[in-house]
Amino acid sequence: MDLPRIFTVRESTHRIHNPLTAGKLAALGESLHLAPGTRVLDLASGSGEMLCTWARDLGFTGTGVDLSTVFTEQAQARATELGVADRVEFIHGDAVGYVADRPVDLAACVGATWIGNGVAGTAELLERSLRPGGLMLIGEPYWRRTPPDEDTAQACHATGIADFRLLPDLIAHFQELGHDVVEMMLADQDSWDRYAAAQWLNLRRWLDQNPDDELATQVREELTTEPARYARSTREYLGWGVFALMRR
């Protein structure tokens, strides 16, 4: 049980596995106005940067769950580095269906709504761990503007235009599910650049060090095509944000 290796190669130096910068992530935590001791569950927690830095800076506690052994090990090391290993724990496991052993104040899935087969299922899953009146965080792509055709949508790593909504429609969808949207933090093109371009350097350095690896052909193909594809499609059409929700 693990992520395919290409994911950890592509994002080997990333602490944040989405297009929020460290500054935006910190601002998001502060914007929630939650007290020290807030208990968090972070599903698909990646390398643990959100939980670790919020534990350090805001006094939160909690648990992260992620499918990647590499990312989970990085999260555990980051907790030790920041001196919060006594306040946060990271579990290698499948976040699909994961429910906390006791209710939490903040339940999050930032950028992996596939664990619930979409936004609605992920919100339902997070609610199973959330105390009444608690906060939920969901990270999700949206269209900055509607792609002109299906090929352009697929170049944004979607299966088609119908995969994502425009931002107003995504907010309306959260409301239709019975939640108030009470805060949001959106990536911009600059933060998208920092996330995407760092992947290209990771790919190139890995390829230089591992030219005979069985993954080398795939990495070479991605490095050859991805920068132009990103500049032409993802950067222009795809947005991404984290939305704070409270059940009505």
Side-chain angles (χ1 to χ4, degrees):
M1 182 174 63
D2 210 331
L3 289 177
R5 266 206 310 152
I6 187 63
F7 285 89
T8 53
V9 170
R10 187 185 294 129
E11 302 198 8
S12 58
T13 65
H14 288 56
R15 285 180 171 166
I16 302 170
H17 301 288
N18 62 63
L20 289 191
T21 61
K24 285 180 178 287
L25 187 64
L28 174 62
E30 292 170 359
S31 74
L32 301 178
H33 303 292
L34 295 170
T38 290
R39 180 170 167 79
V40 181
L41 174 66
D42 186 10
L43 297 183
S45 52
S47 295
E49 191 72 0
M50 184 176 80
L51 191 51
C52 288
T53 55
W54 288 4
R56 177 195 63 189
D57 299 336
L58 303 172
F60 293 176
T61 66
T63 300
V65 181
D66 198 89
L67 190 63
S68 169
T69 54
V70 172
F71 293 160
T72 302
E73 289 170 1
Q74 290 176 348
Q76 292 164 343
R78 186 64 166 155
T80 300
E81 178 186 358
L82 297 185
V84 297
D86 60 333
R87 281 180 272 166
V88 298
E89 66 171 341
F90 293 95
I91 298 170
H92 170 239
D94 193 346
V96 175
Y98 187 95
V99 178
D101 55 3
R102 59 188 177 93
V104 300
D105 306 300
L106 176 64
C109 176
V110 177
T113 55
W114 53 265
I115 69 170
N117 291 319
V119 169
T122 299
E124 182 180 0
L125 174 61
L126 293 175
E127 277 200 286
R128 294 168 61 191
S129 295
L130 196 62
R131 68 165 176 79
L135 271 170
M136 179 187 302
L137 293 180
I138 291 182
E140 181 71 1
Y142 58 88
W143 295 124
R144 295 180 64 241
R145 52 195 177 104
T146 304
D149 50 51
E150 294 294 333
D151 287 344
T152 303
Q154 290 166 13
C156 297
H157 297 301
T159 62
I161 295 173
D163 278 8
F164 306 127
R165 298 170 171 85
L166 292 168
L167 179 59
D169 297 331
L170 178 57
I171 291 173
H173 183 52
F174 290 133
Q175 295 169 329
E176 290 164 0
L177 294 173
H179 300 278
D180 289 320
V181 178
V182 297
E183 183 57 271
M184 68 180 184
M185 184 64 64
L186 304 182
D188 54 29
Q189 286 180 309
D190 288 340
S191 58
W192 259 116
D193 292 347
R194 299 282 51 77
Y195 173 59
Q199 296 178 1
W200 311 334
L201 184 58
N202 290 338
L203 292 170
R204 175 53 194 268
R205 286 182 169 162
W206 182 92
L207 192 61
D208 287 347
Q209 295 167 6
N210 301 275
D212 299 321
D213 191 283
E214 64 181 6
L215 202 61
T217 300
Q218 181 180 352
V219 171
R220 166 40 63 196
E221 174 65 18
E222 184 168 327
L223 183 57
T224 300
T225 60
E226 187 65 15
R229 185 214 56 78
Y230 165 78
R232 183 169 47 248
S233 302
T234 301
R235 194 177 195 273
E236 296 303 312
Y237 292 98
L238 194 63
W240 196 89
V242 182
F243 303 86
L245 314 174
M246 295 183 71
R247 167 64 71 180
R248 291 191 187 135

